[in-house]
Amino acid sequence: MEAAETIQSIRSLIKAARDSGKNIGLVPTMGALHVGHISLIEAARKKCDYVVVSIFVNPTQFVPGEDFEKYPRPLEDDLDICQKAGVDAVFAPAQGEMYPVENVTWVNVEKLTESLCGQFRPGHFQGVTTVCSKLFNIVAPDIAFFGQKDAQQAIVIRRMAADLNMSLSIVVCPTIRESNGLAVSSRNMYLSEEQKKDAANIYKSLQKCHRMIDTGVKDASEIIDEMRNILLKVPSIEIEYISIVDADTLQSIDHITGKVLIAVAVRIGRARLIDNILLDSTK
Ligand code: AMP
């Protein structure tokens, strides 16, 4: 496995891979790698001959007051995980490599970034789409791999790639969970064992929603109320939002129909946690 810190060095590694006829897969991450990230690497290895993992804690996607400084950066462990997972190259640039001067050029996806996390993290998605555009320009992957865990991010990136005619495809991989249902996340490191047990109720509330839709409940507010009741029983959980949206437009819906995304964001202690399920109510 090669590790590159500069844009020039990752580009020359990728050029060599391309020249030998390999197709390129990119897994963009902020590091502190876990089984969720490894599942994306495995998906990339199945579809691509040369797998690049980027590790970059992107400052422009953190809103002031968020955990940018405290975000875990265990680079040596991450390189070890990548090596064992069969990654071909890691691109781990310093901040000055990605943003050498004040950044004045931004990629902004409208509408899809307004609801859900967009309401609570102003500017977050602009940071995500801008850094992903930069990474796509640097690595020029054939396929980039994202997790369903960050459902809105995946939908926004897919739309950005389509709207800007980027010549790559986006693959979205299923959410990997702990045995108690808690979605694996780098931010779970902020939780105590007790808080992790509490956090399992996020998925319980999503499963409740799933059952209600399966049994024919159509009223979104009735479902949200049930989900809220589950979360309110856990004193450590502070609900940010519980939303049921159309899976294409990400606009709230009153009546369950077609493909719906049910998304939850909560705070527990100093962790902000998100989770979701995607359901096709016609099936
Ligand atoms: P992050 O390092 O948190 O920015 O995540 C990098 C990528 O890994 C994103 O596409 C995430 O959606 C994905 N990811 C994070 N957690 C999980 C998980 N539990 N299951 C699947 N994908 C995940």
Side-chain angles (χ1 to χ4, degrees):
M1 185 182 84
E2 306 278 355
E5 290 178 4
T6 65
I7 293 168
Q8 195 187 0
S9 55
I10 191 69
R11 277 193 170 140
S12 64
L13 288 170
I14 288 160
K15 181 173 183 316
R18 251 196 209 295
D19 287 350
S20 61
K22 294 179 173 169
N23 76 333
I24 313 293
L26 172 66
V27 179
T29 81
M30 297 206 300
L33 301 180
H34 51 62
V35 287
H37 299 114
I38 293 171
S39 74
L40 303 190
I41 294 169
E42 282 166 357
R45 285 186 58 197
K46 285 201 185 112
K47 286 186 187 280
C48 301
D49 310 313
Y50 193 86
V51 175
V52 180
V53 170
S54 63
I55 298 179
F56 180 60
V57 183
N58 172 38
T60 66
Q61 71 187 70
F62 286 78
V63 174
E66 288 188 344
D67 56 346
F68 173 67
E69 272 84 23
K70 297 211 174 85
Y71 200 84
R73 291 165 170 85
L75 185 60
E76 287 307 314
D77 294 350
D78 286 348
L79 292 174
D80 204 39
I81 288 170
C82 286
Q83 169 107 48
K84 291 192 174 116
V87 170
D88 295 289
V90 171
F91 176 48
Q95 192 172 316
E97 182 71 5
M98 290 297 277
Y99 297 106
V101 292
E102 183 196 359
N103 199 63
V104 293
T105 305
W106 301 98
V107 178
N108 194 26
V109 174
E110 296 177 347
K111 294 190 176 171
L112 297 174
T113 56
E114 285 163 12
S115 60
L116 307 175
C117 290
Q119 297 170 81
F120 295 91
R121 303 185 76 189
H124 165 70
F125 285 110
Q126 179 179 271
V128 170
T129 43
T130 300
V131 80
C132 285
S133 301
K134 287 163 76 71
L135 289 168
F136 295 169
N137 283 331
I138 292 164
V139 174
D142 298 281
I143 313 179
F145 296 81
F146 290 86
Q148 175 63 26
K149 148 100 178 9
D150 298 276
Q152 187 174 18
Q153 169 173 280
I155 289 166
V156 166
I157 297 284
R158 200 192 276 286
R159 183 59 181 267
M160 171 189 82
D163 283 356
L164 296 181
N165 308 98
M166 293 178 168
S167 78
L168 81 168
S169 45
I170 304 294
V171 168
V172 181
C173 303
T175 302
I176 304 296
R177 302 178 179 282
E178 306 276 1
S179 54
N180 68 4
L182 172 63
V184 179
S185 163
S186 306
R187 289 188 168 100
N188 292 354
M189 284 181 193
Y190 301 148
L191 301 173
S192 67
E193 286 310 309
E194 204 53 41
Q195 288 172 325
K196 280 188 190 157
K197 279 187 205 149
D198 290 351
N201 287 283
I202 302 167
Y203 189 52
K204 287 212 176 85
S205 73
L206 290 165
Q207 285 177 306
K208 172 76 181 175
C209 167
H210 195 161
R211 287 196 298 275
M212 289 177 82
I213 292 177
D214 274 355
T215 54
V217 180
K218 295 283 178 204
D219 181 6
S221 62
E222 185 185 336
I223 297 169
I224 290 172
D225 285 347
E226 283 293 324
M227 293 174 70
R228 187 178 293 111
N229 286 340
I230 291 173
L231 296 177
L232 285 175
K233 282 194 192 118
V234 188
S236 66
I237 292 183
E238 191 190 318
I239 301 170
E240 194 169 87
Y241 66 77
I242 304 170
S243 298
I244 303 186
V245 298
D246 178 284
D248 294 321
T249 65
L250 301 186
Q251 294 298 305
S252 277
I253 52 172
D254 299 329
H255 189 77
I256 305 296
T257 174
K259 272 212 228 160
V260 293
L261 178 73
I262 304 94
V264 176
V266 307
R267 287 177 187 278
I268 300 184
R270 64 189 188 92
R272 179 179 183 277
L273 304 174
I274 58 172
D275 200 352
N276 68 86
I277 53 171
L278 188 60
L279 295 179
D280 188 345
S281 62
T282 57
K283 286 189 179 153

